[in-house]
Every structure is written in C-alpha cells, then in structure tokens.
Amino acid sequence: MTDPGVTGDFNGDTLVDALDIDLLTAAIRDASIDSQFDLDASGLVDAGDLDNMIDSVLSTVPGDANLDRTVDLIDLSALASNFDAQAG
C-alpha cells in the first residue's frame, strides 16, 4: 500500500523516483483504471499523468534521467550507456 501523504509514491517507499515513474508508465501502457495513478484527476491514466509527475511532483523536465532537476551531459551519458538495451 502506498503512503497517501507522498504524491506519486506508487511503491510505498516514501520516495518519488525512477521506480515510481516506471510503475506509472506501466499503468499507462496497460490502460490502467487504478485511480492511484491518476495524478491529474482527469479520470484517465494517461500521458497527462506522466507530465504531472515530471512537472509538478518531481519539479523537473523530460530528459532529466537522473532526476537532479537539470538536463546535462550526465543525463546524455545515462541515455547513451543504455541505448538499444533490451527491457528485462
């Protein structure tokens, strides 16, 4: 069960991090109707919720791979080191 006090903490560890982003994107791909993932209160679990997670919850922008609130060469390095990798 997630902590209702931490918006976007889907795995209940009191942190909002890459694991929570993965859970949200999986819910979007699976067309989930689980309201815990509906961060923008639209009634749908969709890309709007991912935008809300990135912008409002994490206060960052797309491309910030390490979630340090800036997009720089460290993020590019993370992308490059995982380029063409297969999901496990």
Side-chain angles (χ1 to χ4, degrees), residues 43-87:
L44 301 170
V45 178
D46 59 14
D49 300 300
L50 184 57
D51 289 343
N52 186 284
M53 170 81 97
I54 293 168
D55 297 338
S56 300
V57 176
L58 293 169
S59 300
T60 193
V61 295
D64 181 10
N66 63 356
L67 302 177
D68 68 352
R69 296 187 173 104
T70 186
V71 177
D72 54 21
L73 288 176
I74 295 170
D75 300 299
L76 178 60
S77 176
L79 174 68
S81 67
N82 291 289
F83 185 75
D84 208 23
Q86 298 294 316

Side-chain angles (χ1 to χ4, degrees), residues 4-72:
V6 182
T7 301
D9 175 27
F10 301 123
N11 65 348
D13 66 358
T14 70
L15 301 172
V16 180
D17 56 17
L19 295 175
D20 298 299
I21 294 170
D22 290 345
L23 290 170
L24 176 57
T25 56
I28 292 168
R29 282 191 308 274
D30 295 339
S32 174
I33 56 170
D34 189 338
S35 63
Q36 77 166 332
F37 295 106
D38 186 15
L39 296 176
D40 63 2
S42 67
L44 301 170
V45 178
D46 59 14
D49 300 300
L50 184 57
D51 289 343
N52 186 284
M53 170 81 97
I54 293 168
D55 297 338
S56 300
V57 176
L58 293 169
S59 300
T60 193
V61 295
D64 181 10
N66 63 356
L67 302 177
D68 68 352
R69 296 187 173 104
T70 186
V71 177
D72 54 21

